[in-house]
Amino acid sequence: MTATTSAPGRSPTRRHMTMYGPAFVAAIAYVDPGNFATNFAAGSQFGYLLLWVIISANLMAVLVQLLSAKLGLATGCDLPQLCRRRFPRPVVWGLWLQAELVAVATDLAEVIGGAIALNLLFGIPLPGGGLITGIVAFALLGLETRGHRRFELAVAGLLLVIVLGFFADVAFAGVDMPGIAGGVVPDFSGARSVLLATGILGATVMPHVIYLHSSLTSAHVRGLDPADSAGSRKALLRSVRRDVLFGLGLAGLVNAAMLIVAAKVFHASDLSTESIDEVHTGLGEILGAHAALAFALALLASGFASSSVGTYAGQVIMAGFLGRSLPLTLRRAFTLTPALIILWAGVSPTDALVWSQVVLSFGIPFALVPLILLTRRRDLMGPLANRPVTTVTASAVAALVIGLNLYLIGQVIFA
């Protein structure tokens, strides 16, 4: 993978500007096709009630991704590389195997999302749409071989499409300010609302972008003068924080917009929103074809961008844990094939999305726990090591997210 370095001769302003971008790539994971279904289900069933859950989930995402970015900034290495250097060999192999499973599950969800969008927009059969999604994602990854900045800009552009799509739908639907204000107050309405809230919170942390964010950030600082490394990295941390707050903030606004549209459009209607197809149909029937088009375009951008990000994360995972890498075409085929098989077999896309999220849930502790353990070490992080309050807060978030995901896994498997 190509890295553009922050050369020592660059002006401080230019060096700070180079730190912007990685969080926008990470943000794609928080607006992937799986989020579409969860947020629309929450809004259609309970109105604005669970808006506060989305806000809480986004705050957790900001903390986790900031730790990942800070790890890359402080060490110049990514999380898989540091695990390989710091943990016993059997542990590293175990971490790599589960991370590869996470990469496949990630691509499954993203390719299915892109295939559904192409079907909604152009009537392309799902298997063909999945293949097109894979090809487009491969083309996006080709930009990375010419410099990671081009890849980041392309993904940021697709994130902008998603943002504009849902902001347009909010404008078409109208805004209920009293309802939104009531939704920011923590509350529940029965066991079903608790389950949906658990789903939103439990899906907050996507393990593959924890690995990836540290890698993208480390690529931005590899040219720092070693004699001034610690001071330079500490100064750049402010830019990293702004990048994370802005990138993840946009993702949070998109998730909130999904719920707001669902609450305004579907909550009082009898239309079903149990699948992405039904959401698209309902938007068209109630708000018009323009709203359905905005939704489908946002879903398409999400599928394309998140699939390329997932494959890129797979490259980082193998190179970091094993010190080896596969050719990009082989890597793309490795993660794309299971998704195409499922689409060709006629498996319900919604069911496949649900099970892919279960697999992703299994991977969360294996990324989050090592991240917290490493970022609290002053011998590794220097002046960027976590403060005790940060470690305690991150540990509480990790315990909550892991607990919720275990609960969700049990609900899916034993329900």
Side-chain angles (χ1 to χ4, degrees):
M1 288 176 283
T2 303
T4 301
T5 60
S6 300
R10 288 186 177 180
S11 69
T13 300
R14 289 192 63 190
R15 285 203 309 192
H16 280 273
M17 288 300 297
T18 62
M19 301 312 299
Y20 293 95
F24 290 85
V25 177
I28 287 294
Y30 297 93
V31 291
D32 74 352
N35 291 84
F36 282 58
T38 304
N39 293 328
F40 270 89
S44 62
Q45 294 180 39
F46 296 101
Y48 301 99
L49 180 71
L50 300 180
L51 183 59
W52 68 273
V53 179
I54 288 180
I55 296 172
S56 301
N58 190 244
L59 292 175
M60 293 181 188
V62 167
L63 174 60
V64 171
Q65 295 306 141
L66 180 57
L67 291 183
S68 178
K70 190 170 69 167
L71 182 70
L73 175 64
T75 65
C77 300
D78 58 53
L79 179 58
Q81 289 174 332
L82 292 170
C83 287
R84 175 161 54 93
R85 297 173 186 177
R86 299 277 174 162
F87 297 149
R89 178 72 59 176
V91 172
V92 172
W93 276 93
L95 290 173
W96 170 69
L97 288 173
Q98 64 80 33
E100 289 290 359
L101 183 60
V102 162
V104 172
T106 299
D107 216 32
L108 174 63
E110 325 309 16
V111 169
I112 288 175
I116 293 174
L118 288 169
N119 179 260
L120 295 175
L121 287 167
F122 307 110
I124 298 174
L126 291 178
L131 183 59
I132 292 172
T133 301
I135 293 172
V136 172
F138 182 79
L140 286 171
L141 283 168
L143 294 175
E144 192 275 333
T145 62
R146 302 171 65 183
H148 64 263
R149 177 59 73 186
R150 296 188 183 191
F151 175 73
E152 291 172 359
L153 288 173
V155 171
L158 290 171
L159 177 61
L160 180 61
V161 172
I162 301 170
V163 171
L164 292 177
F166 278 104
F167 281 15
D169 276 344
V170 169
F172 295 142
V175 177
D176 176 9
M177 290 307 298
I180 293 174
V184 301
V185 179
D187 195 11
F188 291 108
S189 178
R192 176 63 181 169
S193 69
V194 176
L195 181 61
L196 270 174
T198 302
I200 294 170
L201 284 172
T204 296
V205 182
M206 292 290 98
H208 66 292
V209 287
I210 297 178
Y211 301 123
L212 180 58
H213 201 165
S214 61
S215 176
L216 289 170
T217 305
S218 68
H220 284 255
V221 297
R222 286 177 189 154
L224 288 178
D225 185 353
D228 191 36
S229 180
S232 297
R233 293 171 204 269
K234 192 170 183 178
L236 291 173
L237 182 59
R238 290 189 296 272
S239 298
V240 170
R241 286 173 178 157
R242 294 189 194 102
D243 185 45
V244 171
L245 288 172
F246 193 28
L248 274 294
L250 281 178
L253 289 175
V254 170
N255 283 309
M258 292 182 193
L259 186 141
I260 289 169
V261 170
K264 187 72 187 296
V265 176
F266 296 112
H267 183 52
S269 74
D270 295 327
L271 292 176
S272 174
T273 57
E274 293 183 359
S275 70
I276 292 177
D277 304 66
E278 292 175 344
V279 171
H280 177 263
T281 300
L283 288 173
E285 292 180 0
I286 298 175
L287 297 181
H290 46 293
L293 176 62
F295 172 84
L297 289 174
L299 178 62
L300 183 64
S302 172
F304 285 170
S306 55
S307 183
S308 64
V309 168
T311 303
Y312 192 172
Q315 292 277 76
V316 170
I317 287 167
M318 173 170 279
F321 283 121
L322 301 185
R324 303 172 184 174
S325 61
L326 292 174
L328 191 56
T329 51
L330 186 59
R331 182 84 221 178
R332 175 73 275 191
F334 173 72
T335 56
L336 179 61
T337 299
L340 293 180
I341 291 175
I342 286 176
L343 290 173
W344 277 105
V347 175
S348 165
T350 301
D351 290 343
L353 281 173
V354 170
W355 280 101
S356 70
Q357 299 308 301
V358 172
V359 174
L360 286 171
S361 298
F362 276 113
I364 288 174
F366 300 103
L368 195 48
V369 172
L371 177 68
I372 296 171
L373 291 175
L374 291 171
T375 53
R376 70 185 180 89
R377 295 186 57 167
R378 185 161 292 276
D379 63 324
L380 177 66
M381 300 286 293
L384 299 187
N386 293 343
R387 297 176 180 177
V389 66
T390 303
T391 298
V392 170
T393 303
S395 299
V397 168
L400 176 62
V401 173
I402 292 169
L404 290 174
N405 276 280
L406 289 174
Y407 173 72
L408 280 178
I409 291 168
Q411 288 292 309
V412 172
I413 294 177
F414 300 111

